[in-house]
Amino acid sequence: MNTRAIFFIGKPGCGKGTQAKLLSEKTGWPIFASGKLFRQIAQEDSPVGRKVRAENDAGELQPHWFAMYLYLQSLFSVPDNTSVIFDGFNRKVLEANLVIDSMKWLGRSFTVLEIKVSDEEVRRRLDLRRETEGRVDDSAVDERLKEYKEYTEPAIELFRTAGALIEINGEQVPEAIAADIRVALDLR
């Protein structure tokens, strides 16, 4: 099997992190998640940490250049004979263009998996996650959905045009979503 890069994209709370984890457990591929990296930075008592924390708490996406810095740093650390999973580095048009360009430049095949869920399902899941995990950014649901529509939907269209997008029904139990992903990626 050729090495590849898998990118997850979708609305907040659609299950990107869960599906990235399940795929990693099945394949052994490492995961690089922008949200996790930004949450780690937000814990720092520094000007950057405080800024990241304030934007996370408000439900805002971090600047594209910062996300891309973390993405490139992660990508360049992966040996060329290793497949990899990226979660959340492709949420804006500039980020999507950089993903496409960097994959092409490195000669890596890549697939973008869009986990599709309704706004109502997002609200239900984020309410539940806020109660169970206490994630502050989950209280800014309307802002996060607005950011998704404004920034992420156009990025998804770029991936669709590039022929790299696969849509996955995200309104199933996690195991069924994971099975659909494995079928879509031809991982049986």
Side-chain angles (χ1 to χ4, degrees):
M1 176 175 60
N2 292 338
T3 60
R4 55 172 106 170
I6 306 301
F7 292 82
F8 282 90
I9 197 166
K11 292 178 182 173
C14 71
K16 296 179 298 289
T18 297
Q19 293 306 319
K21 181 176 182 244
L22 291 172
L23 183 60
S24 176
E25 288 171 357
K26 178 74 173 172
T27 61
W29 301 343
I31 303 170
F32 293 97
S34 63
K36 180 179 179 183
L37 293 172
F38 280 124
R39 284 189 292 279
Q40 288 172 346
I41 293 167
Q43 298 302 311
E44 297 173 6
D45 185 21
S46 67
V48 172
R50 287 187 291 276
K51 180 70 173 168
V52 168
R53 183 170 45 256
E55 290 185 357
N56 276 357
D57 290 353
E60 297 172 3
L61 293 177
Q62 297 298 329
H64 69 88
W65 51 265
F66 198 178
M68 290 296 83
Y69 165 76
L70 295 174
Y71 160 71
L72 289 173
Q73 190 176 45
S74 300
L75 175 64
F76 294 158
S77 73
V78 178
D80 61 0
N81 63 347
T82 303
S83 293
V84 63
I85 300 166
F86 290 100
D87 172 12
F89 287 103
N90 50 351
R91 294 179 178 168
K92 293 182 177 179
V93 168
L94 290 170
E95 295 170 16
N97 279 323
L98 185 62
V99 164
I100 293 166
D101 288 348
S102 63
M103 290 291 116
K104 192 179 295 182
W105 185 71
L106 289 172
R108 276 187 170 263
S109 63
F110 73 102
T111 302
V112 178
L113 298 170
E114 179 189 9
I115 312 270
K116 295 188 69 80
V117 296
S118 66
D119 287 359
E120 295 75 27
E121 183 65 8
V122 166
R123 291 178 198 291
R124 187 190 72 74
R125 289 180 184 184
L126 293 186
D127 283 346
L128 180 63
R129 188 166 74 182
R130 187 172 61 239
E131 290 172 15
T132 59
E133 296 178 25
R135 288 229 342 232
V136 177
D137 58 323
D138 286 341
S139 63
V141 178
D142 290 334
E143 181 61 30
R144 293 182 71 191
L145 286 171
K146 179 180 171 241
E147 294 253 332
Y148 173 84
K149 287 175 183 10
E150 183 176 348
Y151 297 111
T152 307
E153 286 180 353
I156 289 170
E157 288 311 309
L158 282 176
F159 292 125
R160 186 182 322 279
T161 300
L165 187 74
I166 296 174
E167 295 178 354
I168 302 291
N169 175 3
E171 295 200 13
Q172 310 175 72
V173 295
E175 296 77 17
I177 298 167
D180 286 354
I181 287 170
R182 288 191 305 274
V183 168
L185 296 175
D186 199 24
L187 300 170
R188 302 214 198 307

